[in-house]
């Protein structure tokens, strides 16, 4: 039996609790949060044995094998390093780190130990995303010419004003880009490949409640010479509406990471390829009646992410989600976008 702890009992913790509770060879032993009532509430809801208020308290437990980190962004790197130094396997919510140095340290630790240190990128496990990745890798669409990612993610003022870390450069590391649109960037790189050049502009319309950005637009050039754009708005629009599109030399595909996912557009020049891939893509769409265990648009793919993580811990297979290097690449692209946008503001 693998004994697991969920550290941080905020918005995404229920997705981790749901995912690990469905694995027959895992017992969630601890719910941990500096606010004891939050840890107790999660423990009671999911039948978790114990609650605690500090990471240090649980790392001394020799029975503990694995840890989910769902804490504020600035704690991801330090806590992951601390857990790994204690010999625990670690699953880290996005973004992997806010400090590239912490990310490189985690890569070194993983390379020189038997520990599984894995970033959360649950949308890579969405069935529609898996099929679109397979489609693009098949060569059926030809080379990508244009990639687009859009997200509306309106957050009411209290989301920032009631938090001691959101909306602060030092603690959140940014806002709508590194937090809400992280998965947009991740999937653009996952499907489109590495990025060689970026440019961005951003604004903060809610300066009274936050110092980070609530709106951003960006331009990307991929190493394969495709160009791309990102647009994000957290100061207006829908509370969650996403759209990702790849226009290629022999077709196009557009989808979202809402929940349940939708396929918005799909064309392939080959009639045979069109029928084959249309059927595969439609078959990958989730049942519209499926319910997310936590916040709706987080979806259910934390279940596959958790199963993949535990399989790697048990040495059944390597992780098939994002690698540490890929997660660090996403952080680096995001940091470069922020650097570009900050230069524009001077």
């Amino acid at each position: 039996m693998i004994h697991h702890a969920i550290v941080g009992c905020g918005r995404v913790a229920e997705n981790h609790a749901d995912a690990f509770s469905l694995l027959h060879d895992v017992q969630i032993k601890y719910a941990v949060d500096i606010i004891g009532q939050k840890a107790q509430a999660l423990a009671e809801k999911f039948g978790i044995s114990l609650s605690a208020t500090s990471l240090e308290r649980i790392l001394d437990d020799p029975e503990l094998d694995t840890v989910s980190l769902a804490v504020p962004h600035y704690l991801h790197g330090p806590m992951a390093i601390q857990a790994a130094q204690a010999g625990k396997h670690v699953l880290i919510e996005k973004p992997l780190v806010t400090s590239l140095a912490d990310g490189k340290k985690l890569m070194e630790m993983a390379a020189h130990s038997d520990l599984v240190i894995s970033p959360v990128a649950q949308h890579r496990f969405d069935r529609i995303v898996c099929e679109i990745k397979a489609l693009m890798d098949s060569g059926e669409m030809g080379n990508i010419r244009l990639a687009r990612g859009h997200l509306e993610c309106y957050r009411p003022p209290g989301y920032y004003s009631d938090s001691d870390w959101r909306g602060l450069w030092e603690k959140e590391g940014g806002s709508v880009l590194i937090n809400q649109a992280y998965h947009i960037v991740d999937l653009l790189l996952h499907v489109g490949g590495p990025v060689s050049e970026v440019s961005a502009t951003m604004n903060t319309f809610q300066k009274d409640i936050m110092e980070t950005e609530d709106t951003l637009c960006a331009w990307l050039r991929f190493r394969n010479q495709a160009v791309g754009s990102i647009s994000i708005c957290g100061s207006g629009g829908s509370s969650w509406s996403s759209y990702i599109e790849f226009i290629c030399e022999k077709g196009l595909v557009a989808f979202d990471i809402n929940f349940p996912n939708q396929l918005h557009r799909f064309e392939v020049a080959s009639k045979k390829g069109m029928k084959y891939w249309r059927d595969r893509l439609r078959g990958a769409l989730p049942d519209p009646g499926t319910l997310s265990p936590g916040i709706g648009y987080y979806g259910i793919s934390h279940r596959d992410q958790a199963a993949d993580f535990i399989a790697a811990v048990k040495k059944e297979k390597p992780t098939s989600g994002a690698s540490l290097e890929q997660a660090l690449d996403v952080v680096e692209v995001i940091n470069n976008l922020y650097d570009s946008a900050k230069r524009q503001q001077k």
Side-chain angles (χ1 to χ4, degrees):
M1 180 65 68
I2 291 173
H3 294 90
H4 186 69
I6 297 172
V7 182
C9 298
R11 290 167 64 90
V12 76
E14 289 196 7
N15 295 78
H16 284 257
D18 166 78
F20 283 97
S21 67
L22 292 174
L23 301 175
H24 71 277
D25 47 0
V26 176
Q27 178 187 8
I28 307 176
K29 185 173 182 179
Y30 292 102
V32 184
D33 197 284
I34 57 171
I35 300 174
Q37 296 93 323
K38 283 187 176 182
Q40 291 168 10
L42 188 74
E44 290 173 5
K45 183 169 184 177
F46 287 91
I48 299 170
S49 306
L50 301 168
S51 63
T53 57
S54 75
L55 178 63
E56 292 77 10
R57 157 74 177 81
I58 66 168
L59 291 182
D60 290 336
D61 183 349
E63 192 177 52
L64 182 66
D65 303 294
T66 59
V67 174
S68 284
L69 290 180
V71 294
H73 295 178
Y74 70 102
L75 296 174
H76 287 187
M79 282 192 169
I81 291 169
Q82 185 180 4
Q85 287 173 336
K88 314 303 180 185
H89 305 278
V90 194
L91 181 64
I92 310 163
E93 263 296 339
K94 56 79 182 169
L96 174 68
V97 291
T98 55
S99 160
L100 293 177
D102 283 346
K104 291 174 182 176
K105 173 69 173 176
L106 288 170
M107 288 177 64
E108 290 173 5
M109 296 178 79
H112 295 94
S113 71
D114 289 331
L115 293 175
V116 178
I117 305 173
S118 185
V120 170
Q122 81 270 17
H123 289 294
R124 290 193 181 206
F125 292 92
D126 291 359
R127 288 184 62 202
I128 189 67
V129 172
C130 293
E131 291 294 348
I132 288 170
K133 174 64 171 164
L135 165 64
M136 302 301 287
D137 289 347
S138 74
E140 187 79 61
M141 303 280 275
N143 294 323
I144 298 171
R145 303 303 196 209
L146 178 71
R148 293 195 293 161
H150 173 75
L151 180 65
E152 295 165 29
C153 51
Y154 172 70
R155 295 293 179 267
Y159 177 83
Y160 294 102
S161 61
D162 296 344
S163 170
D164 64 355
W165 66 277
R166 294 191 186 100
L168 300 174
W169 285 110
E170 185 178 0
K171 292 187 174 183
E172 192 176 16
S175 282
V176 292
L177 176 61
I178 199 169
N179 195 335
Q180 284 77 33
Y182 177 93
H183 294 297
I184 299 288
V185 180
D186 178 61
L187 293 182
L188 287 176
L189 271 62
H190 179 49
V191 177
V195 166
S196 60
E197 188 180 354
V198 303
S199 179
T201 185
M202 64 185 179
N203 207 347
T204 306
F205 289 99
Q206 304 175 95
K207 290 184 172 65
D208 55 328
I209 59 169
M210 61 193 298
E211 64 182 24
T212 47
E213 89 292 356
D214 56 21
T215 307
L216 182 142
C217 287
W219 170 88
L220 313 170
R221 183 182 295 280
F222 294 84
R223 286 186 196 166
N224 59 16
Q225 297 305 304
V227 294
S229 67
I230 299 172
S231 54
I232 319 158
C233 186
S235 58
S238 169
S239 61
W240 189 265
S241 179
S242 66
Y243 185 86
I244 299 174
E245 182 176 57
F246 294 94
I247 297 175
C248 308
E249 58 180 330
K250 294 189 287 186
L252 61 87
V253 63
F255 62 102
D256 63 45
I257 53 170
N258 306 335
F259 183 75
N261 308 95
Q262 294 183 62
L263 180 67
H264 294 276
R265 302 174 67 199
F266 172 60
E267 296 176 17
V268 171
S270 160
K271 289 184 179 179
K272 182 179 179 181
M274 182 71 180
K275 181 180 186 309
Y276 173 75
W277 285 103
R278 181 183 58 207
D279 291 345
R280 278 188 61 167
L281 292 174
R282 286 178 177 173
L285 294 172
D287 183 337
T290 305
L291 297 177
S292 172
I295 293 172
Y297 52 80
Y298 288 172
I300 60 172
S301 292
H302 278 87
R303 294 172 180 173
D304 290 326
Q305 175 97 65
D308 180 78
F309 172 70
I310 293 299
V313 168
K314 294 165 64 180
K315 301 186 184 305
E316 294 176 348
K317 67 178 188 66
T319 56
S320 59
S323 67
L324 286 172
E325 183 177 9
Q326 290 167 338
L328 204 57
D329 286 344
V330 175
V331 173
E332 188 167 15
V333 168
I334 287 172
N335 286 349
N336 290 341
L337 287 167
Y338 280 136
D339 288 344
S340 172
K342 288 174 181 178
R343 286 194 299 270
Q344 299 256 7
Q345 291 179 331
K346 290 181 179 178

